[in-house]
């Protein structure tokens, strides 16, 4: 897994004051993507133990953070590595986690590793960015087809529960 950039304090990638991590790699190739240089997955800094320790320290030392956001590329580009990252970051920070993905929630449920990742994510913004559905007035998403899903509520109720702003 490679990380292309980190925003240590942002209000653009989810509700509240967030620490956003952008991963390299994506197979969705959305027209109009604002991070198309991440598609190949070959740029950025490899996520090793030392880098993970740095990230955790930055998160835990900032008392103002409301949570962590994962974006990219697509964090689900390497689902097995994402799962290990999620387990560790959740255990070591206990923060609320949002994740963006070009996959739909329904697709993630069908893959055992991707499904297990959802156990560590609180909110999911799902679906490919669609240039034709772009709307600059939407909160926390780029196109109207994308959904902001409360993962815990959705899994508990066996139906998609979206958040509206």
């Amino acid at each position: 897994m490679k990380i292309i950039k980190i925003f240590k304090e942002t209000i653009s990638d989810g509700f509240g004051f967030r620490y956003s991590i952008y991963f390299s790699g994506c197979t969705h190739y959305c027209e109009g993507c604002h991070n198309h240089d991440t598609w190949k997955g070959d740029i950025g800094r490899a996520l090793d133990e030392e880098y993970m320790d740095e990230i955790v320290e930055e998160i835990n030392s900032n008392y103002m953070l409301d949570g962590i956001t994962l974006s990219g590329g697509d964090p689900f580009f390497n689902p097995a590595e994402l799962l290990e990252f999620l387990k560790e970051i959740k255990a070591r920070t206990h923060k609320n986690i949002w994740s963006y993905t070009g996959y739909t929630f329904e697709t993630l449920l069908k893959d055992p590793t991707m499904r297990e990742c959802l156990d560590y994510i609180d909110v999911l913004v799902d679906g490919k960015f669609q240039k034709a559905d772009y709307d600059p007035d939407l909160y926390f998403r780029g196109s109207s087809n994308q959904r902001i899903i409360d993962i815990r509520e959705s899994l508990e109720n066996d139906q998609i529960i979206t958040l509206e702003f």
Side-chain angles (χ1 to χ4, degrees):
M1 250 180 135
K2 291 188 175 186
I3 294 176
I4 56 168
K5 60 184 158 186
I6 291 176
F7 292 98
K8 296 178 184 180
E9 299 174 345
T10 181
I11 58 171
S12 299
D13 293 333
F15 187 74
F17 207 50
R18 310 196 66 79
Y19 185 97
S20 290
I21 303 168
Y22 283 69
F23 292 96
S24 183
C26 185
T27 59
H28 303 295
Y29 311 118
C30 302
E31 180 185 357
C33 174
H34 69 281
N35 283 330
H36 59 82
D37 55 331
T38 69
W39 291 354
K40 289 183 181 180
D42 61 352
I43 62 170
R45 180 176 172 186
L47 182 62
D48 58 16
E49 191 174 323
E50 180 183 331
Y51 196 18
M52 184 68 165
D53 289 344
E54 288 176 30
I55 290 169
V56 168
E57 174 62 29
E58 287 177 350
I59 292 167
N60 287 337
S61 67
N62 188 340
Y63 69 91
M64 296 186 336
L65 289 176
D66 293 301
I68 301 162
T69 298
L70 310 180
S71 193
D74 191 324
F76 285 86
F77 181 74
N78 292 307
E81 292 178 33
L82 174 63
L83 178 58
E84 293 310 309
F85 172 82
L86 285 165
K87 286 178 180 179
E88 189 166 346
I89 200 81
K90 193 72 155 181
R92 292 177 65 185
T93 69
H94 306 287
K95 292 289 187 187
N96 169 285
I97 297 176
W98 281 46
S99 182
Y100 285 79
T101 183
Y103 295 102
T104 63
F105 179 67
E106 295 85 353
T107 299
L108 297 177
L109 290 175
K110 292 176 186 175
D111 180 280
T113 305
M114 290 180 172
R115 164 57 188 90
E116 192 174 350
C117 288
L118 296 175
D119 292 334
Y120 301 92
I121 295 170
D122 299 285
V123 176
L124 182 77
V125 181
D126 80 334
K128 293 180 181 182
F129 170 75
Q130 294 179 352
K131 190 173 181 179
D133 295 323
Y134 169 71
D135 183 345
D137 294 325
L138 294 171
Y139 287 103
F140 311 126
R141 56 198 170 128
S143 56
S144 60
N145 64 295
Q146 296 171 308
R147 302 173 294 186
I148 304 173
I149 300 172
D150 183 321
I151 295 298
R152 303 251 181 270
E153 288 293 316
S154 296
L155 293 175
E156 286 176 15
N157 292 291
D158 200 28
Q159 67 177 354
I160 295 174
I161 308 293
T162 59
L163 301 174
E164 301 298 327
F165 298 93

